[in-house]
Amino acid sequence: YINAHRGKTFVLWFGGEAVEDSNFHKIIHDINLLNSLGIKLIIVHGSRPQIDAQLKLNKHKSKFHKDLRITKAEEIEAVCSANAIVRMKIESLLSMGLANSPMHGASIKISSGNYLHAKPIGVVDGIDHEHTGEVRTVNTSAIKELLNSEHIVLLSNIAYSSTGEVFNLNSEHVAKACAIELGADKLIYF
């Protein structure tokens, strides 16, 4: 079973709720195990509750349309802050290597960056979604290069347009787009 998956590409998706769960460290241990077995991993995380918390701090409240957040220009900073908080938590947990723990001896290389390009969703049902976007392209060559160098690729629901605008994407859609574009062997939801 292990040899059947070595060298395969898995896209792992979890929402921001998973990061807040007290058992999130168990997901990290599973990721460590998959990585140690030679599976190429792309992690896509969401951050909905973290965005909600950041917006509340700034006295903003998002509107939703068809389960998509309508991200206004004045909210994009809170979206970016929430994503940074989640990314740093994931990276810190994947960096642990305490003796007598499942992460002992792990030396995980994690890379994140502008591997996605976004486009605005635009106006849907008469509602302008402003800074809510969708995946335009996935930089598959850069991601494959990292995977072949034994890096875990960490992606979020933030992407940039060709003009440098920041867009908030649905993280589940990001995971699906990556799985399709990269020809992933598995798409796993936590």
Side-chain angles (χ1 to χ4, degrees):
Y1 183 79
I2 292 169
N3 290 328
H5 294 297
R6 189 179 319 277
K8 302 290 184 182
T9 301
F10 290 9
V11 176
L12 310 176
W13 174 86
F14 48 82
E17 297 82 3
V19 177
E20 298 297 320
D21 192 277
S22 62
N23 286 318
F24 183 65
H25 67 281
K26 292 181 181 180
I27 293 175
I28 294 298
H29 295 165
D30 290 344
I31 290 169
N32 177 45
L33 175 63
L34 293 172
N35 182 65
S36 71
L37 296 174
I39 296 170
K40 299 174 182 181
L41 299 173
I42 300 162
I43 300 171
V44 180
H45 70 81
S47 58
R48 186 173 276 194
Q50 293 84 358
I51 292 171
D52 290 340
Q54 288 294 312
L55 290 172
K56 187 175 180 181
L57 285 174
N58 296 322
K59 300 189 182 356
H60 290 280
K61 184 174 171 142
S62 286
K63 293 183 180 174
F64 290 83
H65 179 251
K66 295 186 178 178
D67 203 35
L68 282 178
R69 185 185 305 274
I70 300 167
T71 310
K72 299 188 175 298
E74 62 269 14
E75 297 171 345
I76 202 68
E77 189 174 319
V79 171
C80 292
S81 294
N83 273 279
I85 290 166
V86 173
R87 187 188 84 238
M88 288 175 12
K89 181 170 186 176
I90 294 166
E91 288 176 352
S92 70
L93 289 171
L94 285 170
S95 298
M96 292 187 331
L98 295 174
N100 300 320
S101 80
M103 299 290 287
H104 179 68
S107 178
I108 298 174
K109 297 180 279 186
I110 308 157
S111 294
S112 58
N114 63 340
Y115 306 120
L116 303 173
H117 291 98
K119 62 182 179 181
I121 288 178
V123 178
V124 178
D125 298 332
I127 299 169
D128 185 358
H129 282 65
E130 299 189 35
H131 284 269
T132 301
E134 58 190 6
V135 175
R136 179 184 296 270
T137 59
V138 177
N139 188 339
T140 56
S141 60
I143 292 173
K144 285 180 181 179
E145 187 176 317
L146 289 165
L147 293 173
N148 289 334
S149 298
E150 299 178 357
H151 286 243
I152 292 177
V153 176
L154 179 60
L155 302 173
S156 73
N157 52 301
I158 296 289
Y160 313 96
S161 71
S162 55
T163 59
E165 288 181 277
V166 180
F167 285 95
N168 181 18
L169 285 61
N170 177 301
S171 61
E172 190 174 350
H173 294 172
V174 169
K176 287 178 187 175
C178 287
I180 291 167
E181 292 294 319
L182 289 158
D185 299 289
K186 295 211 181 277
L187 173 58
I188 301 169
Y189 295 93
F190 281 98

